[in-house]
Amino acid sequence: MPIHERSLIRPENLKTHEKLVMDGVDVSGHWSTFIEPRVVTDYNEALEEQIAALPGGEFIHRCWQCGSCTNACTVNAVNPDFNPRFWIYLVRIGLESELLRDKDIIWQCVSCHKCTYACPRDVVPEGIMKAIAHWLELQGHVPKSRSTLFDEEFTRQVVETGKIEDGRMIRNFFAATAQPLRQDWLVAMATRVARRFPVMLGIKMGLAALFRPRTRGWQRHQAAIEEYLGEQDAKRRKALGIGETQ
Ligand code: SF4
Ligand code: SF4
């Protein structure tokens, strides 16, 4: 299927002849604009299967390319290059090299789910955006995003203790993203919160940061969750043909 949306035609594929006369008719400049055809041979025939194997990508096969997701998309309204329908199309036909050209903007999805509500086929395009972003990271095409690093830290804490400790969460997330702990917005927020904070709650939080308490009887749940996460990870890596978790 040819790409026919003008916004999707790469500028380098538009050719214009400064001077051209055809059958005696001067079609110089704008009148002689052609789209240079390309022959694509590097299809990834497993691409749809790989995206479908990642969380959120399960229903990609249902898409019938109506474009309602892109029409409804919050990010597309400010950046026409952000085009969920187009990326789903590229994945389904295995045009990996074309998808990679947009690898630096796919992560911009803000998870507003407007596309999900607009989709008549229950494709859950928001999930597909997440799956593609995850796929780009797993394949090493982009570094892990801050959002992924946050999720990893969050999951690690829940799996280890059955609890989330806000202070440790912020410290570890900032360390993972090479951000200084002392940030103006954080100091301002902490100062404001401290003024109204119940003393006992502050003490409890301080103790929690120090001793890392676990939910009672958590070990049993932890083992089951770790087993499940390990199975899911192995399944995805097998579908993507990649090795163990780094
Ligand atoms: S969830 Fe993402 S893809 Fe869907 S409408 Fe919002 S920004 Fe666009
Ligand atoms: S709205 Fe749903 S069916 Fe339509 S193009 Fe988007 S994902 Fe595909």
Side-chain angles (χ1 to χ4, degrees):
M1 188 200 292
I3 294 171
H4 50 264
E5 290 169 47
R6 197 174 191 301
S7 63
L8 295 177
I9 299 166
R10 310 282 173 183
E12 62 270 28
N13 294 125
L14 284 173
K15 301 289 173 210
T16 304
H17 295 266
E18 273 182 35
K19 207 78 200 138
L20 184 66
V21 176
M22 290 176 80
D23 295 334
V25 180
D26 186 352
V27 288
S28 305
H30 166 78
W31 296 103
S32 64
T33 303
F34 294 96
I35 304 169
E36 196 173 58
R38 287 185 306 136
V39 177
V40 180
T41 52
D42 55 344
Y43 284 91
N44 175 357
E45 289 175 18
L47 189 55
E48 181 178 359
E49 214 174 290
Q50 292 175 355
I51 297 297
L54 295 172
E58 297 87 346
F59 305 117
I60 191 167
H61 63 282
R62 293 181 182 166
C63 176
W64 60 16
Q65 287 291 295
C66 67
S68 300
C69 49
T70 297
N71 279 342
C73 179
T74 307
V75 179
N76 177 266
V78 290
N79 177 10
D81 290 341
F82 189 95
N83 192 333
R85 181 208 63 77
F86 180 53
W87 294 328
I88 291 170
Y89 162 72
L90 295 180
V91 169
R92 295 209 64 200
I93 63 170
L95 263 180
E96 180 173 329
S97 54
E98 194 70 18
L99 183 72
L100 291 181
R101 297 178 74 157
D102 290 332
K103 67 185 167 75
D104 294 326
I105 58 170
I106 292 171
W107 64 270
Q108 290 175 357
C109 170
V110 294
S111 294
C112 64
H113 276 288
K114 284 170 77 176
C115 54
T116 302
Y117 289 110
C119 178
R121 295 276 296 162
D122 289 339
V123 174
V124 194
E126 188 271 349
I128 313 276
M129 293 305 102
K130 287 282 173 298
I132 297 176
H134 194 182
W135 177 87
L136 288 167
E137 290 177 2
L138 286 169
Q139 297 286 22
H141 295 305
V142 295
K144 282 182 184 174
S145 67
R146 287 185 171 186
S147 153
T148 299
L149 292 168
F150 185 90
D151 288 350
E152 284 182 353
E153 178 55 30
F154 192 96
T155 307
R156 189 165 28 246
Q157 282 200 27
V158 172
V159 173
E160 281 174 8
T161 63
K163 291 175 185 283
I164 289 294
E165 199 278 297
D166 296 340
R168 187 150 49 101
M169 184 74 223
I170 291 174
R171 278 197 314 279
N172 291 354
F173 172 64
F174 280 9
T177 51
Q179 296 185 72
L181 195 53
R182 193 183 161 79
Q183 303 205 25
D184 291 348
W185 68 268
L186 190 58
V187 174
M189 188 182 79
T191 315
R192 234 178 283 162
V193 170
R195 273 194 216 122
R196 300 169 186 206
F197 214 58
V199 178
M200 276 316 289
L201 195 55
I203 294 172
K204 270 189 188 169
M205 281 182 72
L207 290 173
L210 220 55
F211 297 110
R212 304 185 181 190
R214 284 176 162 212
T215 298
R216 194 171 301 159
W218 184 248
Q219 256 165 337
R220 198 159 34 94
H221 304 293
Q222 181 181 0
I225 293 170
E226 278 175 344
E227 188 183 336
Y228 174 77
L229 291 177
E231 281 170 10
Q232 294 300 312
D233 190 54
K235 206 165 79 183
R236 283 172 209 140
R237 285 177 181 277
K238 189 173 170 208
L240 270 63
I242 52 180
E244 295 295 303
T245 312
Q246 294 103 29

